[in-house]
Amino acid sequence: MGDQAAGARRGRAWSEEEDAQLVEGVREGLGLSELAERHGRTTGGVRARLDRFVPWSGSPVDDPLGRLRSRLAADPGYAWREVGAERRLRERRGRHGTHAPAEPLAAAPASSTAEVLADWEHVTGHVLRPERREVFLARSVVHDLAAKAVAVRRAAARRLWHDGDVLLLDDWLLECVCPGAVRLAADWSLIAERDADTVLVLGELMAAAVDEMPAERDREVLSRRLGLDDQPARTLEKVAETLGLSRERVRQLQTRAIRRLAGADAPASRKLRQVLAELSCVQRVPPEAGPSAAERLLDLSAVLLPSVTPRQAVPLLARLAGADKVRADNLAAEASTIRILQNESARREATRERRIERAGRRWEALVGEVTWFGEPEPAPPRTAWETLREEENADRGRFGVWHCPKLDRDVSYESETELRVIHLLSFAPQIAYYQEQPLAISYEFAGQQRTYYPDLLAVTEDGRCILIEVKRVYEMAMAINVAKYRAAEEFCRLRGWGLVATDGNRTRRLLEHRAVDPRLEAALVAALDAQGELTWPQVVAAADSLPLDALGLSSLILKHGWTWQSRPYRLRPASP
């Protein structure tokens, strides 16, 4: 029986507890044979295990026991666990090398890793002992940091140290990849209130996590399916047509990419999963006063993946939050039921007079923000309008449908923000009727002629027409949305119509008249003049310690006529 137990232990993987006991035996001065006998392992197995706890030198260590013993004697606090974790990461990268080619750890020159160490010591004011320096430079995260732009890396280090007098390497790398992600709070109230800065950083974190995926095909499929390239999410059929693949093959690639993203070790991927797990509560019971996990996932899908239908977005976010496939599917089914109940509740609410009064007050505030052009023409009859994109919406999957009591028909909408404006128009007594996506306006963007379908046309009780573009406020400064707005201005000018861009509460004028710190404005102007194009990390690096928020940055973009592309973030100066 003893031989059988020992044999079973020889075939079993090492646990964290056994690793700790093994290192403790080394501290006690035990030899290889004594350690092997204590743990029921072979001497070769013990030697191989000890080799994992000494810094990697490019080839196996002749005497790992002696080297580890000398390390522990020189530094009782030697971080052998961190060294073992680095070895596991190296081996994992090696196993996936054929599918996810990445630069070898030795790709960064020694001088670059030394610069990372110098930056760390300069910011923290600490100087490492020679043996600790060796461990520091052996970590793969140092090589990743060495590959980042110097200005971005140093600005990230200063921000983290300024915030908490701590500069952890993993946090440092994450701050370089997605500024603000380290300090991103898993505070549900910020999601419920649609806090602009939280939404912006969370969206960039999602884009950064996808961009970290080693396989180009995985990145391409997920970017198109999730709408991470400033375009609506594509259907399986559209992606298949673009890539020259079958619909089923694209579905398989998407499933594989999601599985890889859910298990990726890259910094943005880990942070994204952590934040989603805390916000969604899929692995714990939500607070009594808060929404359920399914309700939270519905809200998160509206924030992170606004152009993806909830039936697709909810299970994806649930998987990233740590739920298995069965749990994710159950949450998606529960979320679908919640949406039905929410629509039923909204329909009952439509009969209440107080909602009509509230909508009337909101409309009075909003109509003051409308830009009017020329002498108004009489509004066309109600029967002259129809939804021009109904067929396209059916092809790519509408976000949702809500029954409007004022129009006595179902109204389709493509985002939570658009539904909020539809509710306003439905209950405001000043609005006679409205029509979703009634027009097709031609505009030019990126050297191509395109067609734009304004979200809503509202006709007031006094016969005036108002074209309404629905966007989250800070997104109104995106280059493609600026091009659409200019085309809509010209369209309204020829007809004497009004035009407003809104999220239901705030309008484009909030950006146009927002006061911004002149130091921040000067810093960004200088950075654009010097570099010609800025990524999100470079924008935050240029701002350095100056206060930077999404609305202020969008205000500067409109003021200077800069070109902003999101997901991935690109900021360019105005075209000549």
Side-chain angles (χ1 to χ4, degrees):
M1 292 293 291
D3 292 341
Q4 292 177 355
R9 294 184 69 183
R10 291 189 184 97
R12 182 168 49 83
W14 290 81
S15 66
E16 293 185 5
E17 182 180 356
E18 277 190 288
D19 285 340
Q21 293 172 353
L22 181 63
V23 174
E24 188 60 32
V26 175
R27 294 182 191 273
E28 295 172 8
L30 300 182
L32 273 179
S33 58
E34 293 171 308
L35 291 171
E37 183 178 355
R38 172 182 286 188
H39 291 273
R41 307 274 185 168
T42 64
T43 56
V46 171
R47 177 192 292 272
R49 196 62 183 175
L50 293 175
D51 183 60
R52 305 178 68 84
F53 303 139
V54 295
W56 175 254
S57 60
S59 60
V61 179
D62 293 335
D63 183 16
L65 175 59
R67 188 167 180 182
L68 179 59
R69 182 174 290 143
S70 63
R71 288 273 182 176
L72 294 171
D75 180 11
Y78 172 63
W80 57 270
R81 286 188 177 88
E82 292 185 8
V83 175
E86 293 297 330
R87 180 67 64 85
R88 287 195 299 274
L89 177 60
R90 188 185 299 275
E91 291 175 350
R92 189 177 297 113
R93 288 182 174 180
R95 285 197 301 271
H96 296 289
T98 56
H99 300 289
E103 293 185 3
L105 292 179
S111 60
S112 296
T113 56
E115 288 176 3
V116 174
L117 174 58
D119 291 343
W120 185 90
E121 291 181 333
H122 175 73
V123 170
T124 63
H126 298 297
V127 178
L128 297 179
R129 297 192 301 272
E131 61 272 14
R132 297 290 291 171
R133 287 189 169 207
E134 185 177 350
V135 175
F136 185 102
L137 295 174
R139 296 193 61 183
S140 62
V141 65
V142 175
H143 292 260
D144 294 334
L145 283 165
K148 301 301 178 184
V150 174
V152 169
R153 186 178 70 224
R154 291 176 177 171
R158 289 193 296 269
R159 287 195 303 274
L160 292 178
W161 185 257
H162 178 268
D163 289 344
D165 290 342
V166 175
L167 185 56
L168 302 178
L169 294 182
D170 289 334
D171 286 351
W172 191 4
L173 179 60
L174 176 58
E175 185 69 10
C176 292
V177 173
C178 184
V182 174
R183 300 184 301 277
L184 184 62
D187 185 346
W188 181 253
S189 64
L190 297 176
I191 300 297
E193 296 167 3
R194 300 298 189 265
D195 177 72
D197 293 322
T198 301
V199 171
L200 175 62
V201 174
L202 197 54
E204 283 300 311
L205 187 60
M206 170 68 82
V210 173
D211 192 54
E212 285 176 338
M213 302 185 72
E216 182 180 357
R217 181 58 59 87
D218 291 345
R219 296 195 302 270
E220 190 171 17
V221 169
L222 280 186
S223 293
R224 293 176 184 275
R225 289 288 285 136
L226 302 181
L228 300 182
D229 51 358
D230 286 344
Q231 293 294 327
R234 276 75 159 185
T235 62
L236 289 172
E237 291 80 3
K238 290 293 185 182
V239 176
E241 179 182 344
T242 302
L243 301 181
L245 302 172
S246 67
R247 180 186 185 279
E248 177 60 20
R249 181 54 182 158
V250 172
R251 188 196 64 78
Q252 293 171 353
L253 292 172
Q254 174 184 311
T255 302
R256 183 190 70 180
I258 292 173
R259 184 172 62 250
R260 289 178 173 177
L261 184 61
D265 285 328
S269 303
R270 291 199 307 269
K271 181 65 176 182
L272 177 65
R273 294 198 302 272
Q274 172 199 336
V275 172
L276 289 179
E278 294 180 13
L279 288 174
S280 65
C281 298
V282 299
Q283 295 179 317
R284 60 185 175 89
V285 178
E288 292 183 4
S292 67
E295 291 174 297
R296 290 167 179 259
L297 287 169
L298 268 177
D299 272 7
L300 285 170
S301 67
V303 169
L304 272 177
L305 306 171
S307 65
V308 182
T309 58
R311 60 185 174 83
Q312 297 172 339
V314 168
L316 165 61
L317 296 178
R319 292 296 303 274
L320 293 179
D324 58 27
K325 187 178 186 306
V326 174
R327 169 76 167 146
D329 290 342
N330 289 340
L331 286 169
E334 184 181 347
S336 178
T337 302
I338 290 172
R339 291 187 71 233
I340 294 174
L341 294 177
Q342 288 174 342
N343 287 340
E344 288 292 333
S345 177
R347 187 177 301 179
R348 291 192 300 269
E349 185 73 8
T351 62
R352 301 182 182 181
E353 185 65 24
R354 61 182 179 83
R355 187 167 189 181
I356 296 177
E357 293 176 356
R358 185 168 64 247
R361 292 193 300 270
R362 286 176 56 200
W363 176 257
E364 285 298 330
L366 183 62
V367 76
E369 300 290 310
V370 173
T371 302
W372 295 98
F373 298 93
E375 291 295 325
E377 295 182 0
R382 181 172 176 176
T383 55
W385 301 111
E386 62 177 349
T387 302
L388 298 185
R389 297 190 70 187
E390 185 70 26
E391 183 176 349
E392 290 190 32
N393 283 337
D395 289 340
R396 67 184 181 90
R398 292 173 300 193
F399 189 91
V401 175
W402 180 75
H403 184 84
C404 173
K406 177 176 287 186
L407 303 181
D408 194 24
R409 65 174 176 85
D410 289 340
V411 177
S412 59
Y413 58 93
E414 297 182 355
S415 69
E416 181 189 59
T417 306
E418 187 171 334
L419 178 60
R420 184 162 59 243
V421 178
I422 287 173
H423 284 168
L424 171 61
L425 299 179
S426 299
F427 300 118
Q430 300 93 331
I431 301 299
Y433 64 90
Y434 63 92
Q435 177 67 49
E436 68 275 24
Q437 298 176 333
L439 303 167
I441 300 177
S442 178
Y443 73 104
E444 183 177 352
F445 181 72
Q448 296 182 356
Q449 202 68 25
R450 307 188 183 195
T451 302
Y452 155 56
Y453 300 84
D455 294 310
L456 295 161
L457 173 65
V459 178
T460 62
E461 288 288 348
D462 57 2
R464 294 182 298 173
C465 291
I466 303 173
L467 208 57
I468 302 175
E469 179 60 16
V470 181
K471 288 286 184 298
R472 289 184 285 194
V473 176
Y474 71 94
E475 291 181 344
M476 296 176 190
M478 290 169 55
I480 190 169
N481 292 332
V482 170
K484 292 178 180 178
Y485 189 83
R486 289 172 179 169
E489 279 185 322
E490 184 61 26
F491 188 92
C492 292
R493 184 173 289 108
L494 297 175
R495 291 160 179 80
W497 289 3
L499 174 64
V500 64
T502 181
D503 65 354
N505 296 312
R506 300 168 295 183
T507 67
R508 195 175 192 264
R509 287 188 179 179
L510 173 68
L511 300 181
E512 295 172 341
H513 301 289
R514 186 179 181 85
V516 182
D517 190 330
R519 297 173 299 167
L520 174 64
E521 181 175 0
L524 292 179
V525 168
L528 278 172
D529 289 342
Q531 302 182 50
E533 176 181 280
L534 299 178
T535 63
W536 174 243
Q538 289 170 331
V539 168
V540 179
D544 204 356
S545 59
L546 295 174
L548 176 68
D549 64 274
L551 298 183
L553 182 57
S554 298
S555 176
L556 289 177
I557 292 171
L558 290 182
K559 175 181 177 181
H560 291 276
W562 294 338
T563 300
W564 167 36
Q565 170 189 333
S566 175
R567 299 187 181 186
Y569 199 107
R570 295 292 184 271
L571 186 61
R572 304 179 183 92
S575 300

